[in-house]
C-alpha cells in the first residue's frame, strides 16, 4: 500500500494538470504546471521517493519515443534529413565542447571531465517538451518537423558523449576513436534492432490473425510491449535502447500502411496510446517537480565548494548555462544556414535567406526534458577508488534548473519572436487529398458492383433488395465524385454545402445520442445496447469532425 499510494497521487496530479493549465489566465506550458504540482506534492507528503534512473528510463522513455517515431510525419523527416542529422549529431558535439569548457571556467571546482558530462546531459532536446511547447505556440510546420526529428535522434549522441566523459572522469583517459566507434554502433545498431524487431512482431501477428482471428485487446497490448522489447534487446546488445524505440515507432508507421489490423483495433489502439502519452508525459515532469526539493538540498551543500557561499550563485550558474546553450545553438544554426546557402549558390540555385527570427526561434526551441533528467541522475555515486563522484549533486541541480528555465524561455520567447512573422504558406496537400478521395470513391463503386453481383447471386429472391442497397451506396459515391471534379465557383459551393451538411449531420447525431441516453435512463433500452449505439455515433462524429 505504501508503495502504491505515491504512484496514485502522482497520477492524480497528472490528471488535474490539464484542467489547471486551461483554467490559468496566462498560456503557461503544461510541463511547468506539472513540475509545480510535483513540488507541491513533495512539500505536502513525505513519500521519500528515490528515483532510479534505469527504471525511470525503462518505464517512460520507450513508449513515448516509440509513439513520437510512429506519429511523426515521415515526409518532413526525410525531406530535412540533412538538417536534422546536423542538429542531432554535429550540434551535440559542438555543445559538449563549448559548454564543457565554459562550465569548467565558470565553476573551477568542477573537473573538466565532469563539466563535459554535464554539457553532454543537457545537449539533447526533448520531444515531449518540444511537443508541449508547440501545443500552446503556433510553430511553423517545417520547423516543428525539424525540431521533432532532432529531438528523436540526438539522445544517443548526447548519452554517448556523457558515457565517455564519465569514463574520463573516473580513469583520466579518453579515446576519440573509441567514442566515435561507439556512437556509430549505438546509433546504427539501435535503429536496426527496433526496425527488425517490429517487422518480426508484425509478421507473427499477421500469421496468427489470419489463422486464428484477431483479438483487439491482445493487439493493443503487443503494441505497448514492442518498444520495451526493442529497448531491452538493444541495451543487452550494447546499442542505444532509446534509438531502438524510435526505430520501432518509425517502422510501425510503415507497417500500419498495409492496413492489416481491424478498424476497431486501430480506433481503440489510438485512444489507448493517447492516454499512455498523456500519462507518461505528465509523470516525467511531475516526478521532476517531486524531486526538486531534494535536488536543491543536495546542491546547496556543494555550492560552498565552488568558492561562493551564497546560494544565489546557483541561479547564476543555471542562467549562464541556459544562455550558453541558446547562444551555441544560435551560432550553429546560423553557420549551418549560411553554409547551405553558400553551397546552393555555387550550384547556381537562387536561395532566399529565411527571416532571422526563424533562426532565433530555432535556438529558443531547444527545450530540455526527461532525457536530461534521466541522464544526469544516472551519474555514478562513486569513482572506482571509492571516493564520491565530484560535484554530482551540483550537476543534478544545474541540469534540473536548465530543464525548467528552457521551458520558461521557450514559452515566453517563442510567441514573442514568431508573433506577426509572415511566412510562406504551408503546403496543404489539398490536391493530393482530393485525388485520393476520387480514387477511393471510384474503387468503392467498383467494389460495390462486384459485391452486389456476388451476394445477390446467393439469394435470387432478394436480388431487388441488393440492387436498391447498391444504388443507395452508389449515389453517395457519385456525389463525392461530383464534388471532387467541380472547379471554380462550383467547387466552392460544393465545399460550402459539405460544411452545411456536416453541421446538420452533427446536430442529428447529438439528438440521436441524447435519445439513446434518455431511453436508457427510463429503462427502455439496455445499457450494453446503449453503449454500442453511442459508440457508433461517436465514431461517425469523429470522422465528420476530422478527428
Amino acid at each position: 500500500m505504501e508503495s502504491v499510494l505515491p504512484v496514485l497521487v502522482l497520477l492524480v496530479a497528472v490528471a488535474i494538470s490539464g484542467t489547471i493549465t486551461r483554467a490559468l489566465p496566462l498560456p503557461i506550458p503544461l510541463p511547468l504546471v506539472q513540475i509545480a504540482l510535483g513540488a507541491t506534492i513533495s512539500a505536502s507528503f513525505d513519500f521519500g521517493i528515490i528515483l532510479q534512473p534505469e527504471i525511470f528510463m525503462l518505464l517512460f522513455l520507450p513508449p513515448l519515443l516509440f509513439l513520437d517515431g510512429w506519429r511523426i510525419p515521415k515526409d518532413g523527416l526525410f525531406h530535412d534529413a540533412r538538417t536534422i542529422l546536423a542538429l542531432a549529431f554535429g550540434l551535440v558535439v559542438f555543445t559538449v565542447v563549448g559548454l564543457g569548457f565554459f562550465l569548467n571556467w565558470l565553476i573551477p571546482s568542477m573537473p573538466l571531465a565532469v563539466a563535459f558530462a554535464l554539457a553532454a546531459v543537457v545537449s539533447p532536446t526533448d520531444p515531449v517538451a518540444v511537443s508541449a511547447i508547440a501545443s500552446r505556440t503556433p510553430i511553423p510546420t517545417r520547423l516543428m518537423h525539424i525540431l521533432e526529428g532532432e529531438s528523436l535522434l540526438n539522445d544517443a549522441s548526447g548519452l554517448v558523449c556523457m558515457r565517455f566523459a564519465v569514463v574520463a572522469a573516473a580513469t583520466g583517459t579518453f579515446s576519440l576513436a573509441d567514442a566515435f566507434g561507439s556512437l556509430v554502433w549505438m546509433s546504427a545498431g539501435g535503429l536496426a534492432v527496433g526496425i527488425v524487431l517490429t517487422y518480426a512482431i508484425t509478421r507473427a501477428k499477421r500469421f496468427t490473425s489470419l489463422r486464428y482471428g484477431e483479438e483487439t485487446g491482445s493487439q493493443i497490448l503487443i503494441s505497448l510491449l514492442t518498444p520495451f522489447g526493442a529497448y531491452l534487446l538493444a541495451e543487452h546488445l550494447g546499442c542505444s535502447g532509446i534509438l531502438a524505440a524510435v526505430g520501432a515507432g518509425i517502422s510501425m508507421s510503415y507497417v500500419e500502411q498495409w492496413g492489416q489490423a481491424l478498424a476497431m483495433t486501430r480506433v481503440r489502439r489510438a485512444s489507448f496510446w493517447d492516454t499512455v502519452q498523456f500519462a507518461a508525459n505528465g509523470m516525467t515532469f511531475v516526478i521532476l517537480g517531486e524531486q526538486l526539493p531534494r535536488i536543491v538540498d543536495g546542491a546547496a551543500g556543494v555550492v560552498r565548494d565552488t568558492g561562493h557561499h551564497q546560494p544565489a550563485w546557483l541561479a547564476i550558474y543555471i542562467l549562464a548555462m541556459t544562455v550558453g546553450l541558446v547562444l551555441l545553438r544560435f551560432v550553429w544554426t546560423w553557420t549551418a544556414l549560411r553554409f547551405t546557402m553558400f553551397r546552393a549558390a555555387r550550384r547556381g540555385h537562387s536561395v532566399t535567406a529565411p527571416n532571422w527570427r526563424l533562426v532565433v526561434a530555432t535556438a529558443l526551441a531547444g527545450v530540455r526534458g526527461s532525457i536530461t533528467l534521466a541522464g544526469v541522475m544516472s551519474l555514478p555515486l562513486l569513482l572506482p577508488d571509492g571516493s564520491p563522484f565530484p560535484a554530482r549533486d551540483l550537476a543534478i541541480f544545474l541540469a534540473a534548473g536548465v530543464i525548467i528555465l528552457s521551458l520558461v524561455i521557450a514559452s515566453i520567447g517563442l510567441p514573442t519572436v514568431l508573433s506577426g512573422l509572415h511566412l510562406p504558406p504551408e503546403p496543404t496537400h489539398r490536391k493530393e487529398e482530393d485525388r485520393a478521395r476520387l480514387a477511393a470513391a471510384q474503387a468503392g463503386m467498383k467494389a460495390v458492383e462486384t459485391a452486389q453481383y456476388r451476394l445477390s447471386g446467393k439469394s435470387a429472391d432478394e436480388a431487388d433488395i441488393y440492387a436498391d442497397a447498391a444504388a443507395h451506396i452508389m449515389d453517395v459515391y457519385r456525389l463525392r465524385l461530383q464534388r471532387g471534379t467541380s472547379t471554380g465557383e462550383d467547387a466552392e459551393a460544393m465545399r460550402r454545402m459539405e460544411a452545411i451538411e456536416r453541421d446538420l449531420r452533427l446536430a442529428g447525431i447529438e439528438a440521436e445520442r441524447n435519445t439513446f441516453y434518455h431511453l436508457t435512463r427510463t429503462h427502455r433500452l439496455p445499457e450494453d445496447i446503449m453503449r454500442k449505439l453511442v459508440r457508433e455515433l461517436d465514431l461517425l462524429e469523429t470522422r465528420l469532425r476530422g478527428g
Side-chain angles (χ1 to χ4, degrees):
M1 181 64 182
E2 293 180 358
S3 60
V4 174
L5 182 59
V7 176
L8 295 178
V9 172
L10 295 178
L11 285 174
V12 169
V14 174
I16 66 175
S17 61
T19 302
I20 294 175
T21 303
R22 290 190 295 272
L24 293 174
L26 297 176
I28 298 177
L30 180 61
L32 287 179
V33 175
Q34 291 166 341
I35 291 172
L37 288 173
T40 304
I41 291 173
S42 179
S44 304
F45 303 95
D46 187 18
F47 288 141
I49 298 175
I50 299 176
L51 184 62
Q52 299 292 337
E54 296 82 6
I55 297 178
F56 178 86
M57 295 182 75
L58 174 61
L59 288 180
F60 296 109
L61 297 189
L64 290 175
L65 295 174
F66 173 79
L67 187 60
D68 284 327
W70 188 352
R71 292 182 173 178
I72 187 174
K74 304 305 178 294
D75 292 341
L77 184 65
F78 292 119
H79 180 268
D80 294 301
R82 185 173 298 177
T83 301
I84 291 172
L85 291 176
L87 290 171
F89 295 99
L91 177 57
V92 168
V93 176
F94 181 65
T95 300
V96 170
V97 174
L99 188 63
F101 281 112
F102 174 69
L103 286 174
N104 182 248
W105 169 82
L106 181 67
I107 312 174
S109 64
M110 180 177 287
L112 183 60
V114 179
F116 281 149
L118 178 56
V121 163
V122 298
S123 60
T125 55
D126 189 82
V128 175
V130 170
S131 300
I133 293 294
S135 65
R136 302 296 293 268
T137 302
I139 298 178
T141 303
R142 187 179 180 186
L143 175 58
M144 190 62 205
H145 291 168
I146 292 174
L147 295 174
E148 289 176 338
E150 173 202 3
S151 61
L152 283 174
L153 299 178
N154 62 10
D155 306 322
S157 54
L159 294 180
V160 167
C161 291
M162 186 203 75
R163 177 181 299 180
F164 278 91
V166 170
V167 171
T171 64
T173 60
F174 173 75
S175 171
L176 181 60
D178 289 344
F180 179 76
S182 179
L183 176 60
V184 172
W185 168 246
M186 290 185 69
S187 303
L191 288 172
V193 167
I195 293 171
V196 172
L197 182 65
T198 300
Y199 277 101
I201 292 175
T202 301
R203 289 184 67 88
K205 286 196 307 179
R206 179 64 173 168
F207 174 78
T208 55
S209 296
L210 290 175
R211 189 164 185 176
Y212 305 110
E214 180 172 307
E215 204 284 314
T216 299
S218 64
Q219 297 293 318
I220 295 174
L221 184 58
I222 290 173
S223 74
L224 176 64
L225 294 175
T226 297
F228 293 106
Y231 181 91
L232 291 173
L233 179 58
E235 290 291 320
H236 178 71
L237 297 176
C239 307
S240 171
I242 289 174
L243 282 182
V246 172
I250 293 175
S251 302
M252 191 69 178
S253 67
Y254 287 104
V255 168
E256 198 178 41
Q257 293 176 9
W258 291 94
Q260 296 177 349
L262 294 177
M264 185 56 67
T265 297
R266 289 194 297 270
V267 171
R268 292 180 177 175
R269 188 175 59 191
S271 300
F272 170 80
W273 274 102
D274 287 340
T275 303
V276 170
Q277 183 182 40
F278 179 75
N281 282 352
M283 285 290 283
T284 59
F285 292 106
V286 171
I287 289 175
L288 171 58
E290 196 278 335
Q291 295 288 307
L292 266 184
R294 194 173 297 104
I295 294 173
V296 172
D297 291 340
V302 179
V303 71
R304 289 186 293 272
D305 297 335
T306 66
H308 304 111
H309 298 278
Q310 297 297 327
W313 279 97
L314 290 172
I316 295 176
Y317 295 154
I318 293 172
L319 179 61
M321 279 184 64
T322 307
V323 172
L325 286 169
V326 172
L327 290 178
L328 288 170
R329 190 174 175 85
F330 177 84
V331 169
W332 178 272
T333 305
W334 184 86
T335 304
L337 177 62
R338 292 296 168 184
F339 180 70
T340 301
M341 294 177 61
F342 172 74
R343 290 183 57 190
R346 288 193 62 180
R347 293 195 298 266
H349 297 161
S350 178
V351 180
T352 303
N355 193 298
W356 64 270
R357 286 197 281 173
L358 282 178
V359 181
V360 175
T362 305
L364 294 178
V367 185
R368 274 68 190 178
S370 54
I371 302 292
T372 294
L373 175 63
V376 76
M377 293 295 291
S378 66
L379 291 175
L381 294 171
L382 301 174
L383 295 176
D385 60 3
S387 59
F389 191 87
R392 182 180 187 273
D393 288 338
L394 179 60
I396 293 174
F397 174 79
L398 295 179
V402 168
I403 292 173
I404 296 174
L405 190 56
S406 66
L407 281 167
V408 173
I409 290 177
S411 61
I412 297 175
L414 283 177
T416 303
V417 171
L418 296 174
S419 176
L421 181 63
H422 295 288
L423 298 170
E426 298 283 354
T428 61
H429 303 291
R430 184 62 184 262
K431 292 182 179 179
E432 291 87 343
E433 180 181 344
D434 290 341
R435 283 198 296 266
R437 289 181 182 276
L438 292 176
Q442 291 168 348
M445 292 178 70
K446 292 180 180 178
V448 170
E449 289 178 350
T450 303
Q452 176 195 354
Y453 291 126
R454 186 183 75 251
L455 295 174
S456 61
K458 297 178 181 180
S459 177
D461 295 337
E462 297 181 349
D464 292 339
I465 299 177
Y466 278 101
D468 291 341
H472 175 71
I473 297 174
M474 288 291 191
D475 287 341
V476 175
Y477 281 123
R478 289 192 185 95
L479 179 59
R480 185 186 299 179
L481 289 171
Q482 180 184 354
R483 292 174 179 175
T485 54
S486 300
T487 58
E489 294 182 358
D490 291 338
E492 185 60 33
M494 284 291 184
R495 292 194 180 96
R496 178 59 181 158
M497 187 172 68
E498 264 187 342
I500 295 173
E501 180 183 322
R502 185 199 62 185
D503 293 340
L504 294 175
R505 294 185 70 182
L506 288 173
I509 289 172
E510 182 67 22
E512 287 185 74
R513 189 161 40 221
N514 289 337
T515 300
F516 293 147
Y517 287 142
H518 175 71
L519 292 173
T520 302
R521 288 195 303 268
T522 55
H523 308 290
R524 288 182 287 171
L525 181 68
E527 188 174 350
D528 57 337
I529 301 299
M530 179 272 293
R531 281 197 295 265
K532 176 185 176 182
L533 295 174
V534 168
R535 174 69 173 171
E536 292 175 357
L537 292 176
D538 289 343
L539 291 174
L540 178 57
E541 180 176 344
T542 301
R543 183 178 69 82
L544 291 173
R545 294 187 184 276

